[in-house]
Amino acid sequence: MSMPAMPPTPATPKRKNPLLRTPRLNLPPASRGRVALGLTAAAAQGRFALQTCADCAAVQYPPREACQHCLSPRLAWREQSGLGQLLATTTLHHSNDLFFRERLPWRVGMVQLDAGPSVMAHVHAAVGQAPCRVRVSARLDRSGQAVLIAFPEQGEPDMTSDNMLREMGCDPQGRKVLVTDGKSAVGQALVTALVKAGAEMVWVGQAEPWKPQAGLQAIAALPQVSPVALDVTDGRSVRTLAGAIGGKVDILINNAELHRGFGIAARRGTDVAHAEMEVNYFGLLRLAQEFAPALMARSADGQAHACAWVNILSIYALSNFPPQGTFSASKAAAHSLAQCLRAELRPGGIRVLNCFPGPMDDEWNQNLMPPKLAPQALAQAVVRALRDGLEDIYPGDVAQDWLERWRDDPKVLERELALNGG
């Protein structure tokens, strides 16, 4: 008679080596003078800008208070192509800075820009030996400051293909992501784009799990997707989910939104405006209070560290759009809160990406004339911005137009929107 099979012996849990140091977060040097923050401001939006003298047109680097040629103080930041010649490279095997010491060897090089200045830059692994042509870009490091990186002249390889530069981006590949609202077309497009980008796990929030939602069943069938109960207007719901998965989330994307039309005079009472604030502003606040500490606690977990928080805002946050006045006000409040969140998460090396799309192609903008932004285009822009480690993006033609006008003169844009609604 055969003997019954014995149950497998449970694996012995791996014990921590008491002689090894617990990993601690070390950030790159973050000290910058005020004038140098112009380089960081441009890099946060994916641009490489240098100071250009308004009197003699000389391009300046490093940033300074006066032109090095004519001493004019009129220095404006202008976008540059970044093209240049790599003159020499070296590989560092020693550093006194803790961040670089833990990541050696580190390749750097001197580049003579076609625009004039010579710059010291990190050199991507795809760049050959000097001399050769390169393209210099400005990217944000984990401390939130701009650094210069030399890429091959033709094309720009993914940051994650270089171990040295991997931490400067927030590529969704292999990461665990929470999308706070799966019932909207934007949320479903984000989930699909994240899965295509190689995300290991995507949790999708459902405020009303018992109610069937169009399209949600299809994305929930994907093996990487897991629906979870989440109502951003309910503090207990947010707290419960944070306790369950907060310590596993690498990227949080807050796309929960309540969008209604009209401004002040066309609607009586404050009920609708209060509901917009509950979702668009207080929802973000509840998420930040519960999930931000969990992300910060995992900021030193090597290449698997928590890396990004994404807020889907609106271009209306920059200047109020009167036909959708209370919605614009709620997004402006969320924008201000997101800036506070960015400041509090920066010491943990967590990137806060604010997305300011133009009007979406959805039911709440059906009476607006094109162009309108497709949810899939927004999702692709968010994935690209995560890979590049950006802080602010403005997807869509309308958002780009409003941004340009807002930079030129915010007061003029306000008057234009008040007079003709666009």
Side-chain angles (χ1 to χ4, degrees):
M1 185 174 64
S2 60
M3 298 293 293
M6 297 295 292
T9 303
T12 303
K14 186 177 180 180
R15 299 182 62 183
K16 180 179 177 181
N17 187 341
L19 300 180
L20 294 180
R21 177 177 64 89
T22 300
R24 298 183 61 183
L25 178 66
N26 291 311
L27 294 177
S31 299
R32 300 289 192 279
R34 185 179 186 275
V35 66
L37 293 180
L39 183 66
T40 296
Q45 299 175 9
R47 299 181 296 116
F48 174 40
L50 295 177
Q51 290 176 308
T52 304
C53 180
D55 293 326
C56 71
V59 180
Q60 318 285 315
Y61 187 85
R64 45 176 57 87
E65 299 286 350
C67 175
Q68 61 180 338
H69 293 285
C70 68
L71 300 183
S72 170
R74 299 200 301 154
L75 297 176
W77 290 92
R78 297 286 182 264
E79 191 164 355
Q80 307 293 325
S81 69
L83 293 173
Q85 183 81 1
L86 180 64
L87 302 178
T89 64
T90 188
T91 301
L92 303 179
H93 295 277
H94 172 77
S95 176
N96 291 328
D97 184 86
L98 289 175
F99 176 84
F100 292 105
R101 185 187 302 171
E102 293 180 345
R103 292 160 177 83
L104 296 172
W106 198 277
R107 191 181 182 206
V108 296
M110 179 66 71
V111 179
Q112 176 73 50
L113 295 176
D114 294 348
S118 295
V119 302
M120 184 68 72
H122 305 295
V123 180
H124 194 280
V127 174
Q129 295 300 316
C132 64
R133 296 287 295 174
V134 294
R135 181 187 299 272
V136 175
S137 294
R139 300 295 179 91
L140 298 180
D141 61 17
R142 286 200 71 188
S143 70
Q145 298 290 1
V147 294
L148 302 183
I149 304 173
F151 292 96
E153 181 180 20
Q154 299 299 325
E156 191 166 299
D158 195 343
M159 294 279 284
T160 58
S161 63
D162 187 328
N163 291 331
M164 182 181 73
L165 305 175
R166 190 187 305 274
E167 290 188 71
M168 294 187 192
C170 310
D171 196 318
Q173 183 175 6
R175 296 193 183 274
K176 299 178 177 66
V177 188
L178 170 62
V179 177
T180 59
D181 181 17
K183 72 177 183 298
S184 67
V186 169
Q188 294 168 18
L190 284 166
V191 172
T192 303
L194 289 165
V195 170
K196 288 183 177 179
E200 177 184 338
M201 168 70 75
V202 181
W203 291 285
V204 186
Q206 293 179 271
E208 300 169 317
W210 61 89
K211 183 182 296 185
Q213 303 290 346
L216 186 57
Q217 186 174 1
I219 64 171
L222 297 172
Q224 301 91 335
V225 177
S226 177
V228 292
L230 176 60
D231 182 355
V232 299
T233 66
D234 182 355
R236 177 178 295 180
S237 173
V238 177
R239 192 177 309 112
T240 300
L241 184 61
I245 67 171
K248 304 174 184 178
V249 174
D250 301 321
I251 301 173
L252 188 149
I253 302 180
N254 179 31
N255 68 305
E257 177 180 281
L258 183 65
H259 189 170
R260 297 294 182 266
F262 301 112
I264 298 173
R267 187 195 300 127
R268 301 293 297 174
T270 61
D271 291 348
V272 174
H274 187 274
E276 289 174 329
M277 290 292 288
E278 274 294 320
V279 176
N280 302 340
Y281 173 76
F282 287 108
L284 171 58
L285 180 58
R286 294 184 186 97
L287 288 167
Q289 289 174 336
E290 300 299 336
F291 279 91
L295 267 66
M296 289 286 284
R298 293 191 46 247
S299 59
D301 289 354
Q303 292 188 2
H305 64 85
C307 60
W309 183 300
V310 181
N311 297 306
I312 307 298
L313 301 174
S314 169
I315 195 64
Y316 303 158
L318 297 187
S319 189
N320 191 280
F321 184 49
Q324 300 181 18
T326 56
F327 171 75
S328 302
S330 69
K331 288 296 187 177
H335 177 206
S336 181
L337 185 64
Q339 291 175 318
C340 174
L341 178 64
R342 177 179 288 158
E344 294 191 2
L345 290 182
R346 183 170 290 139
I350 309 295
R351 184 68 39 80
V352 173
L353 168 63
N354 289 333
C355 177
F356 301 87
M360 302 298 302
D361 190 7
D362 59 21
E363 59 180 329
W364 297 106
N365 293 300
Q366 59 184 333
N367 293 328
L368 291 181
M369 296 295 293
K372 288 182 279 190
L373 185 64
Q376 294 78 7
L378 171 62
Q380 292 168 7
V382 169
V383 170
R384 285 195 302 270
L386 285 170
R387 285 173 173 162
D388 293 340
L390 304 184
E391 280 191 349
D392 297 297
I393 59 172
Y394 303 83
D397 295 337
V398 173
Q400 289 294 316
D401 176 63
W402 280 36
L403 175 63
E404 184 177 348
R405 291 152 66 187
W406 180 76
R407 285 175 175 164
D408 183 60
D409 194 324
K411 194 64 179 177
V412 171
L413 175 60
E414 177 192 339
R415 291 301 179 94
E416 288 175 336
L417 296 176
L419 291 174
N420 54 34

